[in-house]
Amino acid sequence: MTSLLKIENLHVNVEETPILKGVNLEVKAGEIHALMGENGSGKSTLAYALAGHPKYTITEGTVELDGANLNELDPSERARLGLFLAFQYPVTIPGVKVADFLRHAISNIRNPDRKEGEGLVPMREFRKELKEQMGSLDMKTEFARRYLNEGFSGGEKKRMEILQLAMLKPKFAILDETDSGLDSDAVRFVSEGLTKLTGPEMGVMIITHHERLLQYNIPQYAHVMMGGRIVETGDVSLAEEIHNEGYTALRERHPEAAAEQEQVEAVTQ
Amino acid sequence: MSTAIVTPPETFNEAAFNAFLEQRDDPEWIIELRKKAFAIYNEKLCEPLDPEEWKRVDLRIFQPDKFALSADKPAGNKLDTQLQGEAEFKGQVTHENGHCTSSQIDASLVEQGVVFGDLSALVHTHREILEPYFMTKAVAPDRDRFAAWHAAFWTGGTVLYVPKNCSVEAPLHSLIALTQAGAADFSHTLVILEDNASATLLEETLSGDENSPGLHLGCVELIVGKDANLRYVQLQNWNQKTYHFAHQAGLVESNGFMQWTVSALGAKLAHVHQDVVLNGRGSIGEVNGVTFATDKQKISYYTQQTHNAEQTRSDLLYKEVLRDKSRVVWRGMIKVDKKAQLTDGYQRSDALMLSDTARADAIPGLEIEADDVRCTHGATAGQVDEEQVFYAMSRGLSRYEAMHMIVEGFFQTVYDRIPVEAVRKTLSDAVVQKLGIGD
Ligand SMILES: Nc1ncnc2c1ncn2[C@@H]1O[C@H](COP(=O)(O)OP(=O)(O)OP(=O)(O)O)[C@@H](O)[C@H]1O
Ligand SMILES: [Mg+2]
């Protein structure tokens, strides 16, 4: 059976403010989707809502992963079902070593019924795997002993997200601007890294403002978000259009959504 | 009770004192010291306690006459020690309900002139070593009511003496236990490192069960000679029915180094007065504190870093995690004498709150008389960052596991300063245990 992530009529509030106003999207294993849209259009909100961030409340609609309703599940349960979010702004956890964190993470993901205190993935096996993955992402092994994202440069944090993706091997990965703030070598490592990781087993949603990541990982679908809705879906040529011409034409094609987008911007500014 | 009391509690009055002397077999010089101290104790009871130190400690719940020193030496219960088994010790002393129940030292250390054992026994055999230091330099009986009370009624305690140029590589272990309801322990830890000596002493306190009320009124004196190097650790892990009061002071001579780690995990009410006194030029005092308070625990520290000589360095880092309705108070002071130029003093306390019903107060302070010094202090208190919890959970960690990692990570910077693996391991195990309670 091909895995399916199904988002239906999703409405999401942040605190009391409605941000997503009916998002519909289906991602199947093996597919790459690009999600584009202007700043503030709701891309990260969708990503957080999928991952289960407590501040993002689903007020209507459903998210299903292979038939399981995610709405009521906490972020850990969603992760254990195979969902992964590479954060636009990865969080620092002082004093927690990357290796310890990842060992706990993969132990839970690979054994979803694992309870706290139960056995972890054997150390030797874990170390070997971590070393290999770090090697293929051109990361120095000393990062494994550093504290999670503490003192990491912007690019190092993004690479750490990809390393986690590589270790956790989710069914569905959402990459929220993983290519932002990277120098061109780093974009290449991250893009190539992602190419190696994707395949028929994984569905990917790439949120991006840039071309490079999509050149390495060509999407079958491109979606444009505006004012909290997906207003257009096309193929890679839609992404190309936006890269070349910006959002002006799209706004003209969707005046209502464009107006709503401006409203949200006015409220939050 | 921070005001004057006038009459001593029944279990520590004159009749109790005389009975206590009667039942012990102290040498004359000790009896003299005790009698002087008992007189001071009675005077001090009529004086209020220093409000700066005591105003944030609620002593009203403490009823000293509920506790008494026990005349019976326990049979030596099996104790659930945390440190034992974590490291290879070259000496071990255990006290239970104020009585020494076992004392061992490796023969190789005896050959080098190291003394390690029970104060009650050593006052008979090693007066010449003990007398110059015992409550004369670090903690004087007339310091306050608690110091005098301890000086009159001390029950025993662990002594470590390391002669000049002698370095003891393996750690030594001291265990202080309370195993009987209403029992009191007035143990006195005395460490004397002669010039250029070095040693590591790991001390832990614990209770025999969860429910027996106990009283510890302790004293720790650490004497670090020139070029000497002491690592001293005290893990306070009483049950939550125990009162813990202690005067603790470490004196460091020229170019000596003292690394002092305290941890407070247990006790119903704990108040520790901790002094680091840098008396010799170039001496260094480093203090690490790990506190994890839960339920209704009240933990209070009054710390002083006193710089009496040039080019001295003190560095205090306290980390506190609080949950439920617990309360932690830290009052810290750096004092720099006129002649202590070019000193470097640092103090910092960070509190992590796991519930909004807990309360942490940090009050750092500086008293600086020299003009060419660098002294800095800081204090932070904050809730667990929910973004961190979410991030960890989005990687499959349960909420509990995420909290655990965040708490461990919070303590990590202080663990990183503790070179003894057994201590790090013990603390981290204790944190796991405490996280479990009430969840
Ligand atoms: N936690 C929050 N608190 C308040 N407003 C929020 C919050 N999160 C999102 N919003 C608002 O929701 C709207 C959508 O934000 P979102 O982060 O989803 O945009 P985005 O499409 O990811 O933009 P960008 O391209 O800049 O990353 C914005 O107006 C934003 O200000
Ligand atoms: Mg965004």
Side-chain angles (χ1 to χ4, degrees), chain A residues 43-45 88-89 176-177 207:
Chain A
K43 304 180 297 296
S44 293
T45 302
Q88 183 172 5
Y89 305 106
D176 192 356
E177 299 202 26
I207 300 173

Side-chain angles (χ1 to χ4, degrees), chain B residues 23 30 62 67 70 75 101 126 131 135 187 199 202 245 287 301 303 342 350 365 369 407 419 426 435 438:
Chain B
Q23 132 230 322
I30 289 294
F62 172 51
F67 303 95
S70 113
T101 52
H126 291 75
E131 197 172 13
M135 297 202 84
S187 59
L202 311 184
F245 299 101
V287 181
Y301 287 103
T303 66
L342 301 170
D350 295 319
E369 290 178 32
V407 168
T426 303
L435 272 170

